[in-house]
Amino acid sequence: MPDRAEVIMMDGERTSDGFERLCRELLSEAYPEMDARWLDEQTASAMAVAADAVAAADLAADRDRREIRTAVKQALDRLRSRGLSPDEPSATIAVEGVEVAVTADASGSRYAITFQVSSQRLPVDELTGLWLTARTTSPHTTLLPVRHLAAFDEQGAASFANVRAGHWSFETLTPTWNDTIGAFPMPAVEKSAVAAATGYYAVAAPNKALFTLDDRSDAEPALEITGTVDGPRLIPIRYLDREGAARRLLVAIAPARTGAARSRTGLPSFAPGTPWEVGDYQEAGVLTAVDAPLVAESLRATDDRATLRAWRALAADARPEIGSAIEALLGES
């Protein structure tokens, strides 16, 4: 009988129909003399007990998740007050039975910063899906303030690479949307940031792409993406506009003749201070005919020749129906 239970649980399949069928079969084999009515009653009772157990487990997991994430946030607040810099490159802070250890190791003129969360009371794997953003304050970052992103893994570890020297501060960042596999939640742009004298706001993603938001005074903000790719790729973007509606765009990026790959897109009605996210590099094959309207909207937002060339290169790798649609749209632009 254990083998049968394992089959039903395989690949996360935990349907109520499968569990109900298993309960009835187990009861029927254990009590072959009982009639169908008794089996129905006992199966219903077992289902109710199981549902209560699942609900209690979900509540406990939600409580654990809230508690450990709150503890980490409080530890980061204390770390901000205490300070972390090349002069004080390590710290260990304990909050409510949760210990957060952070170390910064020099790597040339930059630093690698590692977080490790441990707890005897709470499961650290509840941090999975929670992100950290690192910000450096120093005279060298005034022209282009860059924030770095890192995600906690199931062991409660997160790390940043290639961080400039300076005074470091960290914040937690929770994804806004549920379907965020392969996406990076971006730190909200302070409403004063794009209006500052530099006019720039940049985020370094874990895939080594740099996303720079440029406020062009009276025009819509533009997002420039710099990275390294070995072929034409897509980068999805999602943000909330000034009306609070979710907007989606795609940006094509392709290898440059020299130097890093660069692409640029407008962000119609982008609202600073609201949630936004970017996706990891994707190949042209992910596009289907359903994406044609999104492709058209994305091409209309594109505002430089390098990105248009990237779209043309991507059309050659896309499905025929998408490739021809891209070529037609490029012909209109």
Side-chain angles (χ1 to χ4, degrees):
M1 300 310 299
D3 291 341
R4 192 182 313 170
E6 289 173 2
V7 169
I8 290 179
M9 299 295 289
M10 188 179 297
D11 296 328
E13 183 185 359
R14 298 176 59 183
T15 64
S16 59
D17 289 344
F19 184 69
E20 182 177 4
R21 185 167 58 252
L22 174 62
C23 288
R24 189 176 182 86
E25 289 176 359
L26 291 172
L27 287 167
S28 179
E29 292 180 8
Y31 303 97
E33 72 282 1
M34 305 306 292
D35 58 22
R37 179 177 178 181
W38 183 90
L39 286 173
D40 289 342
E41 292 173 350
Q42 297 305 312
T43 300
S45 177
M47 290 290 292
V49 171
D52 289 344
V54 169
D58 288 343
L59 288 173
D62 288 342
R63 183 189 64 244
D64 289 345
R65 185 176 300 111
R66 288 193 302 271
E67 288 187 10
I68 194 167
R69 293 188 176 195
T70 298
V72 169
K73 184 178 184 301
Q74 291 174 350
L76 295 180
D77 290 341
R78 294 186 186 181
L79 180 61
R80 190 177 304 111
S81 299
R82 175 195 179 280
L84 191 75
S85 69
D87 296 329
E88 296 181 272
S90 64
T92 300
I93 299 173
V95 177
E96 300 294 335
V98 176
E99 186 175 273
V100 178
V102 55
T103 58
D105 297 314
S107 177
S109 62
R110 301 297 179 97
Y111 285 79
I113 302 175
T114 303
F115 277 80
Q116 181 61 61
V117 179
S118 58
S119 175
Q120 297 296 321
R121 185 176 63 86
L122 294 168
V124 296
D125 61 355
E126 293 294 349
L127 290 171
T128 307
L130 185 68
W131 287 72
L132 283 178
T133 175
R135 186 175 189 176
T136 306
T137 304
S138 77
H140 302 292
T141 61
T142 56
L143 293 179
L144 185 60
V146 178
R147 288 194 171 189
H148 297 257
L149 295 175
F152 281 108
D153 61 20
E154 293 183 351
Q155 286 72 47
S159 60
F160 302 92
N162 201 35
V163 182
R164 285 182 179 270
H167 179 85
W168 300 306
S169 60
F170 309 89
E171 296 176 2
T172 56
L173 193 60
T174 303
T176 300
W177 290 276
N178 292 327
D179 53 335
T180 55
I181 297 176
F184 310 126
M186 304 291 270
V189 180
E190 294 93 340
K191 294 184 179 180
S192 61
V194 292
T198 61
Y200 291 94
Y201 184 86
V203 179
N207 64 353
K208 300 182 180 180
L210 182 68
F211 297 84
T212 305
L213 189 66
D214 175 12
D215 178 30
R216 301 177 298 172
S217 62
D218 59 345
E220 295 284 359
L223 182 68
E224 182 173 280
I225 304 170
T226 307
T228 302
V229 292
D230 58 3
R233 296 289 185 270
L234 283 169
I235 297 176
I237 300 170
R238 179 159 48 178
Y239 61 93
L240 295 182
D241 66 16
R242 299 186 190 108
E243 304 300 322
R247 293 280 193 101
R248 293 179 62 215
L249 288 174
L250 299 171
V251 182
I253 187 168
R257 294 185 180 92
T258 59
R262 292 179 182 271
S263 279
R264 191 176 176 91
T265 184
L267 297 176
S269 194
F270 180 84
T274 58
W276 64 307
E277 69 177 17
V278 299
D280 204 349
Y281 297 122
Q282 298 181 8
E283 296 188 357
V286 301
L287 294 175
T288 66
V290 176
D291 299 307
L294 177 59
V295 169
E297 183 178 357
S298 301
L299 273 166
R300 286 193 294 269
T302 297
D303 72 347
D304 74 335
R305 293 181 179 178
T307 310
L308 291 174
R309 286 196 297 269
W311 273 109
R312 191 174 298 280
L314 189 132
D317 291 347
R319 300 170 193 263
E321 65 274 19
I322 287 293
S324 58
I326 293 173
E327 290 290 357
L329 289 165
L330 288 170
E332 297 171 2
S333 59

